[in-house]
Amino acid sequence: MKVVASLLATAALAVGAGAASAETLRWARSADNLTMDPHSQNSGPTHVFNHQIYEPLIIRDVDGSLRPTLATEWGISEDDDTVWEFTLREGVVFHNGNDFTAEDVAFSIERAQKPTSNMKELVASIREVEVVDDHTVRFHTDGPDPILIDKLTNLFMMDREWAEENNATEPQNFDAGEEHFAARNANGTGPYVLQQRVPDSRNVATLFEDYWGRDEFPLDITEILYTPITAAPTRVAALLSGEVDFVQDVPVQDIARLEQTAGVRVTRGPENRTIFLGMNVGDDQITHGTAEGNPFASREVREAINMAVDREAIQQVVMRGESQPLGTLAPPFINGYQEWMGEYPEVDLDRALELMEEAGYGDGFQVTLHCPNDRYVNDEGICQAVVGMLGRIGITTSLESRSLSIHFPSISNLETDFYLLGWGVPTFDSQYVFDFLYHCRRDGKGSWNATRLCDDEIDAMIAEIAGEGDLDARNEKIAAVWERVQEGIYYIPIHVQTIARAMGDHLDIPVHPENDFWAKDVAVNR
Amino acid sequence: MIAFVLRRLAQATLVLLIVGFVSFSMFRFIGDPINNMMGQEATLEQRAELARQLGLDQPFPVQFARFIARAATGDFGVSYRLGRPVMDLILERLPATLELALVSALLAFFVGVSLGVYTAIRPRGLASRFVMTASLVGVSLPTFLIGIGLIYVFAVELGWLPSFGRGQTVQIGGWSTGFLTQSGLASLVLPAITLALYQMTLIMRLVRAEMMEVLRSDYIKFARARGLPERRVNFRHALKNTMVPVITITGLQLGSIIAFAIVTETVFQWPGVGLLFITSVQFVDVPVMAAYLMLIGLVFVVINLVVDLLYYAVDPRLRVEGARGH
């Protein structure tokens, strides 16, 4: 009964204080974070909420650079290029009062490497974590890994003692059949302490009094109330009615209207994700269409398609201006991107038809385009536009759009000859693109490459990048691969999509290329 | 009587098995949860390994048999999406759905009956005609459109009521209620109206038709001839006889209110089992979907069983035929 009474009192207070308390950030997004366990899900909505509670060694800042967080200095050892050394921040405590030390780093990396972890691929190259002293730690890797640091931006640090006390030394195992302690409880070093988590309904966190960065950040926000709101119109309505302060994902069709609404601020910018078409370039015969042999195996046909797809029309009509047309799979943020790669050919239907003729497909062919309809911004609309554009060079395309949970497995299982896919690059480095999209499906690589491209030379070039410890030499090797694959036109890049955020005009939260966000950085300006 | 109940229970079990079978066979067309569970860096081998662990590589009959065997002991497994036991998830959200359904059902019943009686007594009145026309809108507009319209008017433009969520709730034992706080009650208004509107128009039209039928019958004419006051004739004699079929229909509709709360819950981000189901479909969270569909099946079976038993008690003819196994 006492609980009821205190809850009633809290409710009364909340009502009494009114909707516009200056310190609470009421934040909404379409999807909930799936778990509080920092190593059990590698997904955007889960990480972004955990970033308020847990902290990694370094974070990826809004401009793409690395910002020191729990590590103050880092670098590859001068004597041995397979060793990374980190200097840890001093005076950091966990929410339960324990000190953050090198032991906790070792524990967290080992936990992230466990079979049930979803982060294990990002730390797979770490062979051993050596604790030098309380605030120095060394990562020994299998061979040089100069971009290891880029893979640690979402790798959160946990308290060893807390995990051991609560039987949470391994990430959630779906076989176990019971709830995992770390799924709904959290103990990080971050600026906010988890107070309540009701999945799909509300997550509450309040300011951590002993946070190490009390004097470094604005920390105007003293309470975070994160609510998933699935239906897009409701999400926008909640912002307009002042029931939420910050909407992290604004539907494209509402951007213009919100920009003209008094009291609402919209920020936008490109996301670190390219949208493109993949083709079966490797098989002798396509199975999802009618054609003699496999037209996509001919570079002329691919070049013709590249010329026929009008990226600027897609930008203006389908995306309402909210995209940046692009001629490569590399988002412009990442290491290895060069200006020339981003350029795309002018639409030239005459030349495209000539190329089709040269390839022996002057009479065209028929193929099915597989497309997701609930994953990327206006994904189905992009595919519809492509169908019309390819019709102009004689390619009859039938469109099959479906949910992501059917679309992605069919890419994994090679059950498509022509498909739309998007690819984000969390490491901000080209190798990630090569490994997953250009490498042949072997040696644990190429898992998202459904083009059937299997080129020993390209794979050898990619392998060389991985073994190269010197950054300049490595970048030259990356450039060589890009030249090779851009020339081959194995994919038809379309654009980089835009993220838009909307908020009350007392806030100004810039867009982050990975859609991340830190409440500690937000200054409230009423 | 006991034989009747036993036979009904056997039928109910069969119905639940069929519900489980049909829903389970549909899950294969919804997609594959592995991708949602693993993140994009997973290799093909790791995906296959997880599928094997979850038993998703097994043929459909094996998967189904396993599911039924575990469900029979009350174990519906662990949610792929949230990593928590499915029964916990459903029990946690059931209060939200039941409270919404209860309020909607009461609203639909009382408003529906009042309007039905009014339009039956004054069929030619201007107000009756207006109500009848308006009720057509209630029947034909899709729920999500009504919901969004209400949000736009009452939350965005007027700012009177919240547009989403359940407000503050109070925990009493295992039950979280929104009835005890101001924000909880305010949050209930729009979703309850949205969910009630269709049932309301249905009940109103049913009451009106039945009532007009009764009003034409002889005993009403005699009652009027005896000079009984109009109010007594309408409410004491006519309405009472109208209500028998109305109560039956309303009871049966309660099941569909619970089942069809899905759309309303999605529009208003109402944290009930319907919203849980929709998010589970998007994620291909098979254990939750299966348990939810079984639960809805159970609700319908129980309601039908109760109605059957009531008929049995009310109608002596059934008892005679029942003995012969109709």
mmCIF file with all atom_site columns, all heavy atoms in Angstrom, chain A residues 42 118 121 200 228 230 234 243 405 432 448, chain B residues 32 37-38 40-41 46 81 84 163 267 269:
data_model
loop_
_atom_site.group_PDB
_atom_site.id
_atom_site.type_symbol
_atom_site.label_atom_id
_atom_site.label_alt_id
_atom_site.label_comp_id
_atom_site.label_asym_id
_atom_site.label_entity_id
_atom_site.label_seq_id
_atom_site.pdbx_PDB_ins_code
_atom_site.Cartn_x
_atom_site.Cartn_y
_atom_site.Cartn_z
_atom_site.occupancy
_atom_site.B_iso_or_equiv
_atom_site.pdbx_formal_charge
_atom_site.auth_seq_id
_atom_site.auth_comp_id
_atom_site.auth_asym_id
_atom_site.auth_atom_id
_atom_site.pdbx_PDB_model_num
ATOM 1   N N   . ASN A 1 42  ? 23.309 -6.010  -31.510 1.00 0.00 ? 42  ASN A N   1
ATOM 2   C CA  . ASN A 1 42  ? 24.080 -4.987  -32.223 1.00 0.00 ? 42  ASN A CA  1
ATOM 3   C C   . ASN A 1 42  ? 23.122 -4.218  -33.124 1.00 0.00 ? 42  ASN A C   1
ATOM 4   O O   . ASN A 1 42  ? 23.120 -4.386  -34.329 1.00 0.00 ? 42  ASN A O   1
ATOM 5   C CB  . ASN A 1 42  ? 25.195 -5.654  -33.031 1.00 0.00 ? 42  ASN A CB  1
ATOM 6   C CG  . ASN A 1 42  ? 26.131 -4.646  -33.641 1.00 0.00 ? 42  ASN A CG  1
ATOM 7   O OD1 . ASN A 1 42  ? 26.048 -3.453  -33.352 1.00 0.00 ? 42  ASN A OD1 1
ATOM 8   N ND2 . ASN A 1 42  ? 27.017 -5.111  -34.496 1.00 0.00 ? 42  ASN A ND2 1
ATOM 9   N N   . ASN A 1 118 ? 26.503 -10.511 -29.499 1.00 0.00 ? 118 ASN A N   1
ATOM 10  C CA  . ASN A 1 118 ? 26.234 -10.049 -30.848 1.00 0.00 ? 118 ASN A CA  1
ATOM 11  C C   . ASN A 1 118 ? 27.318 -9.094  -31.323 1.00 0.00 ? 118 ASN A C   1
ATOM 12  O O   . ASN A 1 118 ? 27.262 -8.583  -32.426 1.00 0.00 ? 118 ASN A O   1
ATOM 13  C CB  . ASN A 1 118 ? 24.884 -9.329  -30.878 1.00 0.00 ? 118 ASN A CB  1
ATOM 14  C CG  . ASN A 1 118 ? 23.921 -9.974  -31.832 1.00 0.00 ? 118 ASN A CG  1
ATOM 15  O OD1 . ASN A 1 118 ? 24.315 -10.835 -32.617 1.00 0.00 ? 118 ASN A OD1 1
ATOM 16  N ND2 . ASN A 1 118 ? 22.680 -9.569  -31.789 1.00 0.00 ? 118 ASN A ND2 1
ATOM 17  N N   . GLU A 1 121 ? 32.023 -10.215 -33.562 1.00 0.00 ? 121 GLU A N   1
ATOM 18  C CA  . GLU A 1 121 ? 32.782 -10.012 -34.799 1.00 0.00 ? 121 GLU A CA  1
ATOM 19  C C   . GLU A 1 121 ? 33.631 -8.750  -34.726 1.00 0.00 ? 121 GLU A C   1
ATOM 20  O O   . GLU A 1 121 ? 34.677 -8.654  -35.350 1.00 0.00 ? 121 GLU A O   1
ATOM 21  C CB  . GLU A 1 121 ? 31.848 -9.932  -36.001 1.00 0.00 ? 121 GLU A CB  1
ATOM 22  C CG  . GLU A 1 121 ? 31.153 -11.248 -36.333 1.00 0.00 ? 121 GLU A CG  1
ATOM 23  C CD  . GLU A 1 121 ? 29.943 -11.485 -35.467 1.00 0.00 ? 121 GLU A CD  1
ATOM 24  O OE1 . GLU A 1 121 ? 29.499 -10.534 -34.793 1.00 0.00 ? 121 GLU A OE1 1
ATOM 25  O OE2 . GLU A 1 121 ? 29.450 -12.626 -35.438 1.00 0.00 ? 121 GLU A OE2 1
ATOM 26  N N   . ASP A 1 200 ? 8.788  -1.655  -24.656 1.00 0.00 ? 200 ASP A N   1
ATOM 27  C CA  . ASP A 1 200 ? 7.783  -1.139  -25.578 1.00 0.00 ? 200 ASP A CA  1
ATOM 28  C C   . ASP A 1 200 ? 6.938  -0.030  -24.973 1.00 0.00 ? 200 ASP A C   1
ATOM 29  O O   . ASP A 1 200 ? 5.954  0.378   -25.577 1.00 0.00 ? 200 ASP A O   1
ATOM 30  C CB  . ASP A 1 200 ? 6.832  -2.240  -26.087 1.00 0.00 ? 200 ASP A CB  1
ATOM 31  C CG  . ASP A 1 200 ? 7.559  -3.253  -26.926 1.00 0.00 ? 200 ASP A CG  1
ATOM 32  O OD1 . ASP A 1 200 ? 8.563  -2.869  -27.544 1.00 0.00 ? 200 ASP A OD1 1
ATOM 33  O OD2 . ASP A 1 200 ? 7.129  -4.413  -26.955 1.00 0.00 ? 200 ASP A OD2 1
ATOM 34  N N   . PRO A 1 228 ? 9.021  4.430   -27.091 1.00 0.00 ? 228 PRO A N   1
ATOM 35  C CA  . PRO A 1 228 ? 8.835  4.084   -28.494 1.00 0.00 ? 228 PRO A CA  1
ATOM 36  C C   . PRO A 1 228 ? 7.409  4.421   -28.925 1.00 0.00 ? 228 PRO A C   1
ATOM 37  O O   . PRO A 1 228 ? 6.462  4.155   -28.175 1.00 0.00 ? 228 PRO A O   1
ATOM 38  C CB  . PRO A 1 228 ? 9.068  2.573   -28.514 1.00 0.00 ? 228 PRO A CB  1
ATOM 39  C CG  . PRO A 1 228 ? 8.760  2.118   -27.130 1.00 0.00 ? 228 PRO A CG  1
ATOM 40  C CD  . PRO A 1 228 ? 9.010  3.261   -26.204 1.00 0.00 ? 228 PRO A CD  1
ATOM 41  N N   . THR A 1 230 ? 5.325  3.580   -32.281 1.00 0.00 ? 230 THR A N   1
ATOM 42  C CA  . THR A 1 230 ? 5.450  2.862   -33.542 1.00 0.00 ? 230 THR A CA  1
ATOM 43  C C   . THR A 1 230 ? 4.826  3.612   -34.714 1.00 0.00 ? 230 THR A C   1
ATOM 44  O O   . THR A 1 230 ? 5.428  3.729   -35.770 1.00 0.00 ? 230 THR A O   1
ATOM 45  C CB  . THR A 1 230 ? 4.752  1.483   -33.417 1.00 0.00 ? 230 THR A CB  1
ATOM 46  O OG1 . THR A 1 230 ? 5.088  0.937   -32.147 1.00 0.00 ? 230 THR A OG1 1
ATOM 47  C CG2 . THR A 1 230 ? 5.180  0.559   -34.508 1.00 0.00 ? 230 THR A CG2 1
ATOM 48  N N   . THR A 1 234 ? 1.271  9.267   -35.113 1.00 0.00 ? 234 THR A N   1
ATOM 49  C CA  . THR A 1 234 ? 1.153  9.496   -33.671 1.00 0.00 ? 234 THR A CA  1
ATOM 50  C C   . THR A 1 234 ? 2.423  10.130  -33.117 1.00 0.00 ? 234 THR A C   1
ATOM 51  O O   . THR A 1 234 ? 2.372  11.013  -32.263 1.00 0.00 ? 234 THR A O   1
ATOM 52  C CB  . THR A 1 234 ? 0.879  8.167   -32.940 1.00 0.00 ? 234 THR A CB  1
ATOM 53  O OG1 . THR A 1 234 ? -0.140 7.462   -33.636 1.00 0.00 ? 234 THR A OG1 1
ATOM 54  C CG2 . THR A 1 234 ? 0.446  8.395   -31.522 1.00 0.00 ? 234 THR A CG2 1
ATOM 55  N N   . GLU A 1 243 ? 3.758  16.734  -26.212 1.00 0.00 ? 243 GLU A N   1
ATOM 56  C CA  . GLU A 1 243 ? 3.884  15.625  -25.264 1.00 0.00 ? 243 GLU A CA  1
ATOM 57  C C   . GLU A 1 243 ? 5.255  14.982  -25.316 1.00 0.00 ? 243 GLU A C   1
ATOM 58  O O   . GLU A 1 243 ? 5.647  14.270  -24.406 1.00 0.00 ? 243 GLU A O   1
ATOM 59  C CB  . GLU A 1 243 ? 2.831  14.560  -25.550 1.00 0.00 ? 243 GLU A CB  1
ATOM 60  C CG  . GLU A 1 243 ? 1.443  14.987  -25.151 1.00 0.00 ? 243 GLU A CG  1
ATOM 61  C CD  . GLU A 1 243 ? 0.420  14.073  -25.781 1.00 0.00 ? 243 GLU A CD  1
ATOM 62  O OE1 . GLU A 1 243 ? 0.132  13.038  -25.188 1.00 0.00 ? 243 GLU A OE1 1
ATOM 63  O OE2 . GLU A 1 243 ? -0.065 14.385  -26.879 1.00 0.00 ? 243 GLU A OE2 1
ATOM 64  N N   . SER A 1 405 ? 11.951 -9.028  -43.006 1.00 0.00 ? 405 SER A N   1
ATOM 65  C CA  . SER A 1 405 ? 12.250 -10.347 -42.448 1.00 0.00 ? 405 SER A CA  1
ATOM 66  C C   . SER A 1 405 ? 12.097 -11.455 -43.493 1.00 0.00 ? 405 SER A C   1
ATOM 67  O O   . SER A 1 405 ? 12.458 -12.594 -43.230 1.00 0.00 ? 405 SER A O   1
ATOM 68  C CB  . SER A 1 405 ? 11.401 -10.631 -41.212 1.00 0.00 ? 405 SER A CB  1
ATOM 69  O OG  . SER A 1 405 ? 10.129 -10.109 -41.348 1.00 0.00 ? 405 SER A OG  1
ATOM 70  N N   . TYR A 1 432 ? 35.235 -2.670  -44.316 1.00 0.00 ? 432 TYR A N   1
ATOM 71  C CA  . TYR A 1 432 ? 33.948 -3.231  -43.910 1.00 0.00 ? 432 TYR A CA  1
ATOM 72  C C   . TYR A 1 432 ? 33.055 -3.471  -45.130 1.00 0.00 ? 432 TYR A C   1
ATOM 73  O O   . TYR A 1 432 ? 32.332 -4.457  -45.210 1.00 0.00 ? 432 TYR A O   1
ATOM 74  C CB  . TYR A 1 432 ? 33.298 -2.243  -42.938 1.00 0.00 ? 432 TYR A CB  1
ATOM 75  C CG  . TYR A 1 432 ? 32.097 -2.754  -42.183 1.00 0.00 ? 432 TYR A CG  1
ATOM 76  C CD1 . TYR A 1 432 ? 32.257 -3.468  -41.005 1.00 0.00 ? 432 TYR A CD1 1
ATOM 77  C CD2 . TYR A 1 432 ? 30.807 -2.502  -42.626 1.00 0.00 ? 432 TYR A CD2 1
ATOM 78  C CE1 . TYR A 1 432 ? 31.164 -3.919  -40.297 1.00 0.00 ? 432 TYR A CE1 1
ATOM 79  C CE2 . TYR A 1 432 ? 29.708 -2.940  -41.917 1.00 0.00 ? 432 TYR A CE2 1
ATOM 80  C CZ  . TYR A 1 432 ? 29.889 -3.650  -40.752 1.00 0.00 ? 432 TYR A CZ  1
ATOM 81  O OH  . TYR A 1 432 ? 28.805 -4.090  -40.052 1.00 0.00 ? 432 TYR A OH  1
ATOM 82  N N   . TRP A 1 448 ? 26.873 -10.762 -47.012 1.00 0.00 ? 448 TRP A N   1
ATOM 83  C CA  . TRP A 1 448 ? 25.802 -9.963  -47.626 1.00 0.00 ? 448 TRP A CA  1
ATOM 84  C C   . TRP A 1 448 ? 26.031 -9.748  -49.107 1.00 0.00 ? 448 TRP A C   1
ATOM 85  O O   . TRP A 1 448 ? 25.411 -8.901  -49.729 1.00 0.00 ? 448 TRP A O   1
ATOM 86  C CB  . TRP A 1 448 ? 25.676 -8.619  -46.896 1.00 0.00 ? 448 TRP A CB  1
ATOM 87  C CG  . TRP A 1 448 ? 25.076 -8.822  -45.561 1.00 0.00 ? 448 TRP A CG  1
ATOM 88  C CD1 . TRP A 1 448 ? 25.736 -9.081  -44.393 1.00 0.00 ? 448 TRP A CD1 1
ATOM 89  C CD2 . TRP A 1 448 ? 23.687 -8.843  -45.236 1.00 0.00 ? 448 TRP A CD2 1
ATOM 90  N NE1 . TRP A 1 448 ? 24.834 -9.259  -43.377 1.00 0.00 ? 448 TRP A NE1 1
ATOM 91  C CE2 . TRP A 1 448 ? 23.577 -9.114  -43.865 1.00 0.00 ? 448 TRP A CE2 1
ATOM 92  C CE3 . TRP A 1 448 ? 22.515 -8.663  -45.995 1.00 0.00 ? 448 TRP A CE3 1
ATOM 93  C CZ2 . TRP A 1 448 ? 22.354 -9.202  -43.211 1.00 0.00 ? 448 TRP A CZ2 1
ATOM 94  C CZ3 . TRP A 1 448 ? 21.296 -8.745  -45.350 1.00 0.00 ? 448 TRP A CZ3 1
ATOM 95  C CH2 . TRP A 1 448 ? 21.226 -9.017  -43.978 1.00 0.00 ? 448 TRP A CH2 1
ATOM 96  N N   . ASP B 2 32  ? 12.092 -14.851 -41.388 1.00 0.00 ? 32  ASP B N   1
ATOM 97  C CA  . ASP B 2 32  ? 13.091 -15.563 -40.626 1.00 0.00 ? 32  ASP B CA  1
ATOM 98  C C   . ASP B 2 32  ? 13.600 -14.632 -39.517 1.00 0.00 ? 32  ASP B C   1
ATOM 99  O O   . ASP B 2 32  ? 14.060 -13.533 -39.801 1.00 0.00 ? 32  ASP B O   1
ATOM 100 C CB  . ASP B 2 32  ? 14.213 -15.922 -41.617 1.00 0.00 ? 32  ASP B CB  1
ATOM 101 C CG  . ASP B 2 32  ? 15.323 -16.694 -40.952 1.00 0.00 ? 32  ASP B CG  1
ATOM 102 O OD1 . ASP B 2 32  ? 15.292 -16.829 -39.719 1.00 0.00 ? 32  ASP B OD1 1
ATOM 103 O OD2 . ASP B 2 32  ? 16.225 -17.131 -41.664 1.00 0.00 ? 32  ASP B OD2 1
ATOM 104 N N   . MET B 2 37  ? 17.883 -11.107 -35.121 1.00 0.00 ? 37  MET B N   1
ATOM 105 C CA  . MET B 2 37  ? 18.487 -11.418 -33.834 1.00 0.00 ? 37  MET B CA  1
ATOM 106 C C   . MET B 2 37  ? 19.995 -11.235 -33.835 1.00 0.00 ? 37  MET B C   1
ATOM 107 O O   . MET B 2 37  ? 20.597 -11.086 -32.781 1.00 0.00 ? 37  MET B O   1
ATOM 108 C CB  . MET B 2 37  ? 18.166 -12.868 -33.435 1.00 0.00 ? 37  MET B CB  1
ATOM 109 C CG  . MET B 2 37  ? 16.691 -13.089 -33.167 1.00 0.00 ? 37  MET B CG  1
ATOM 110 S SD  . MET B 2 37  ? 16.311 -14.817 -32.970 1.00 0.00 ? 37  MET B SD  1
ATOM 111 C CE  . MET B 2 37  ? 16.979 -15.133 -31.346 1.00 0.00 ? 37  MET B CE  1
ATOM 112 N N   . MET B 2 38  ? 20.619 -11.281 -35.009 1.00 0.00 ? 38  MET B N   1
ATOM 113 C CA  . MET B 2 38  ? 22.072 -11.391 -35.011 1.00 0.00 ? 38  MET B CA  1
ATOM 114 C C   . MET B 2 38  ? 22.839 -10.137 -35.376 1.00 0.00 ? 38  MET B C   1
ATOM 115 O O   . MET B 2 38  ? 24.012 -10.024 -35.079 1.00 0.00 ? 38  MET B O   1
ATOM 116 C CB  . MET B 2 38  ? 22.505 -12.524 -35.937 1.00 0.00 ? 38  MET B CB  1
ATOM 117 C CG  . MET B 2 38  ? 22.015 -13.837 -35.438 1.00 0.00 ? 38  MET B CG  1
ATOM 118 S SD  . MET B 2 38  ? 23.065 -15.213 -35.835 1.00 0.00 ? 38  MET B SD  1
ATOM 119 C CE  . MET B 2 38  ? 24.519 -14.915 -34.919 1.00 0.00 ? 38  MET B CE  1
ATOM 120 N N   . GLN B 2 40  ? 24.193 -7.321  -38.455 1.00 0.00 ? 40  GLN B N   1
ATOM 121 C CA  . GLN B 2 40  ? 24.640 -7.551  -39.817 1.00 0.00 ? 40  GLN B CA  1
ATOM 122 C C   . GLN B 2 40  ? 26.018 -8.188  -39.939 1.00 0.00 ? 40  GLN B C   1
ATOM 123 O O   . GLN B 2 40  ? 26.356 -8.713  -40.976 1.00 0.00 ? 40  GLN B O   1
ATOM 124 C CB  . GLN B 2 40  ? 24.576 -6.253  -40.631 1.00 0.00 ? 40  GLN B CB  1
ATOM 125 C CG  . GLN B 2 40  ? 25.535 -5.165  -40.159 1.00 0.00 ? 40  GLN B CG  1
ATOM 126 C CD  . GLN B 2 40  ? 25.357 -3.900  -40.995 1.00 0.00 ? 40  GLN B CD  1
ATOM 127 O OE1 . GLN B 2 40  ? 24.383 -3.737  -41.695 1.00 0.00 ? 40  GLN B OE1 1
ATOM 128 N NE2 . GLN B 2 40  ? 26.326 -3.009  -40.911 1.00 0.00 ? 40  GLN B NE2 1
ATOM 129 N N   . GLU B 2 41  ? 26.802 -8.184  -38.844 1.00 0.00 ? 41  GLU B N   1
ATOM 130 C CA  . GLU B 2 41  ? 28.157 -8.719  -38.992 1.00 0.00 ? 41  GLU B CA  1
ATOM 131 C C   . GLU B 2 41  ? 28.234 -10.239 -38.926 1.00 0.00 ? 41  GLU B C   1
ATOM 132 O O   . GLU B 2 41  ? 29.274 -10.810 -39.183 1.00 0.00 ? 41  GLU B O   1
ATOM 133 C CB  . GLU B 2 41  ? 29.094 -8.140  -37.923 1.00 0.00 ? 41  GLU B CB  1
ATOM 134 C CG  . GLU B 2 41  ? 29.579 -6.751  -38.222 1.00 0.00 ? 41  GLU B CG  1
ATOM 135 C CD  . GLU B 2 41  ? 28.778 -5.728  -37.450 1.00 0.00 ? 41  GLU B CD  1
ATOM 136 O OE1 . GLU B 2 41  ? 27.883 -6.150  -36.701 1.00 0.00 ? 41  GLU B OE1 1
ATOM 137 O OE2 . GLU B 2 41  ? 29.031 -4.519  -37.606 1.00 0.00 ? 41  GLU B OE2 1
ATOM 138 N N   . GLN B 2 46  ? 27.376 -18.650 -38.492 1.00 0.00 ? 46  GLN B N   1
ATOM 139 C CA  . GLN B 2 46  ? 26.776 -18.284 -37.203 1.00 0.00 ? 46  GLN B CA  1
ATOM 140 C C   . GLN B 2 46  ? 25.255 -18.222 -37.305 1.00 0.00 ? 46  GLN B C   1
ATOM 141 O O   . GLN B 2 46  ? 24.544 -18.603 -36.380 1.00 0.00 ? 46  GLN B O   1
ATOM 142 C CB  . GLN B 2 46  ? 27.322 -16.932 -36.748 1.00 0.00 ? 46  GLN B CB  1
ATOM 143 C CG  . GLN B 2 46  ? 28.755 -17.025 -36.262 1.00 0.00 ? 46  GLN B CG  1
ATOM 144 C CD  . GLN B 2 46  ? 29.422 -15.671 -36.162 1.00 0.00 ? 46  GLN B CD  1
ATOM 145 O OE1 . GLN B 2 46  ? 28.930 -14.680 -36.697 1.00 0.00 ? 46  GLN B OE1 1
ATOM 146 N NE2 . GLN B 2 46  ? 30.549 -15.635 -35.483 1.00 0.00 ? 46  GLN B NE2 1
ATOM 147 N N   . ARG B 2 81  ? 12.784 -11.456 -29.342 1.00 0.00 ? 81  ARG B N   1
ATOM 148 C CA  . ARG B 2 81  ? 13.066 -10.028 -29.441 1.00 0.00 ? 81  ARG B CA  1
ATOM 149 C C   . ARG B 2 81  ? 13.528 -9.464  -28.099 1.00 0.00 ? 81  ARG B C   1
ATOM 150 O O   . ARG B 2 81  ? 14.490 -8.722  -28.027 1.00 0.00 ? 81  ARG B O   1
ATOM 151 C CB  . ARG B 2 81  ? 11.794 -9.300  -29.902 1.00 0.00 ? 81  ARG B CB  1
ATOM 152 C CG  . ARG B 2 81  ? 11.986 -7.824  -30.204 1.00 0.00 ? 81  ARG B CG  1
ATOM 153 C CD  . ARG B 2 81  ? 10.746 -7.258  -30.855 1.00 0.00 ? 81  ARG B CD  1
ATOM 154 N NE  . ARG B 2 81  ? 9.627  -7.234  -29.922 1.00 0.00 ? 81  ARG B NE  1
ATOM 155 C CZ  . ARG B 2 81  ? 9.279  -6.176  -29.213 1.00 0.00 ? 81  ARG B CZ  1
ATOM 156 N NH1 . ARG B 2 81  ? 9.923  -5.062  -29.339 1.00 0.00 ? 81  ARG B NH1 1
ATOM 157 N NH2 . ARG B 2 81  ? 8.265  -6.240  -28.370 1.00 0.00 ? 81  ARG B NH2 1
ATOM 158 N N   . ARG B 2 84  ? 12.771 -12.521 -22.928 1.00 0.00 ? 84  ARG B N   1
ATOM 159 C CA  . ARG B 2 84  ? 12.100 -12.789 -21.663 1.00 0.00 ? 84  ARG B CA  1
ATOM 160 C C   . ARG B 2 84  ? 11.029 -13.843 -21.884 1.00 0.00 ? 84  ARG B C   1
ATOM 161 O O   . ARG B 2 84  ? 10.517 -13.982 -22.992 1.00 0.00 ? 84  ARG B O   1
ATOM 162 C CB  . ARG B 2 84  ? 11.458 -11.512 -21.126 1.00 0.00 ? 84  ARG B CB  1
ATOM 163 C CG  . ARG B 2 84  ? 12.464 -10.405 -20.902 1.00 0.00 ? 84  ARG B CG  1
ATOM 164 C CD  . ARG B 2 84  ? 11.798 -9.187  -20.307 1.00 0.00 ? 84  ARG B CD  1
ATOM 165 N NE  . ARG B 2 84  ? 11.027 -9.534  -19.138 1.00 0.00 ? 84  ARG B NE  1
ATOM 166 C CZ  . ARG B 2 84  ? 9.958  -8.843  -18.729 1.00 0.00 ? 84  ARG B CZ  1
ATOM 167 N NH1 . ARG B 2 84  ? 9.571  -7.786  -19.400 1.00 0.00 ? 84  ARG B NH1 1
ATOM 168 N NH2 . ARG B 2 84  ? 9.293  -9.214  -17.650 1.00 0.00 ? 84  ARG B NH2 1
ATOM 169 N N   . SER B 2 163 ? -1.957 11.957  -26.640 1.00 0.00 ? 163 SER B N   1
ATOM 170 C CA  . SER B 2 163 ? -2.083 11.275  -27.928 1.00 0.00 ? 163 SER B CA  1
ATOM 171 C C   . SER B 2 163 ? -1.551 9.847   -27.892 1.00 0.00 ? 163 SER B C   1
ATOM 172 O O   . SER B 2 163 ? -1.824 9.078   -28.784 1.00 0.00 ? 163 SER B O   1
ATOM 173 C CB  . SER B 2 163 ? -1.332 12.054  -29.004 1.00 0.00 ? 163 SER B CB  1
ATOM 174 O OG  . SER B 2 163 ? 0.025  12.189  -28.633 1.00 0.00 ? 163 SER B OG  1
ATOM 175 N N   . VAL B 2 267 ? -2.069 2.514   -33.010 1.00 0.00 ? 267 VAL B N   1
ATOM 176 C CA  . VAL B 2 267 ? -2.203 3.949   -33.266 1.00 0.00 ? 267 VAL B CA  1
ATOM 177 C C   . VAL B 2 267 ? -1.871 4.754   -32.011 1.00 0.00 ? 267 VAL B C   1
ATOM 178 O O   . VAL B 2 267 ? -1.197 5.775   -32.080 1.00 0.00 ? 267 VAL B O   1
ATOM 179 C CB  . VAL B 2 267 ? -3.627 4.278   -33.764 1.00 0.00 ? 267 VAL B CB  1
ATOM 180 C CG1 . VAL B 2 267 ? -3.837 5.782   -33.831 1.00 0.00 ? 267 VAL B CG1 1
ATOM 181 C CG2 . VAL B 2 267 ? -3.874 3.660   -35.117 1.00 0.00 ? 267 VAL B CG2 1
ATOM 182 N N   . GLN B 2 269 ? -0.124 3.745   -29.355 1.00 0.00 ? 269 GLN B N   1
ATOM 183 C CA  . GLN B 2 269 ? 1.016  3.195   -28.606 1.00 0.00 ? 269 GLN B CA  1
ATOM 184 C C   . GLN B 2 269 ? 0.543  2.720   -27.222 1.00 0.00 ? 269 GLN B C   1
ATOM 185 O O   . GLN B 2 269 ? 1.146  2.997   -26.200 1.00 0.00 ? 269 GLN B O   1
ATOM 186 C CB  . GLN B 2 269 ? 2.133  4.240   -28.474 1.00 0.00 ? 269 GLN B CB  1
ATOM 187 C CG  . GLN B 2 269 ? 3.454  3.694   -27.979 1.00 0.00 ? 269 GLN B CG  1
ATOM 188 C CD  . GLN B 2 269 ? 4.113  2.756   -28.988 1.00 0.00 ? 269 GLN B CD  1
ATOM 189 O OE1 . GLN B 2 269 ? 3.880  2.844   -30.177 1.00 0.00 ? 269 GLN B OE1 1
ATOM 190 N NE2 . GLN B 2 269 ? 4.917  1.830   -28.520 1.00 0.00 ? 269 GLN B NE2 1
#
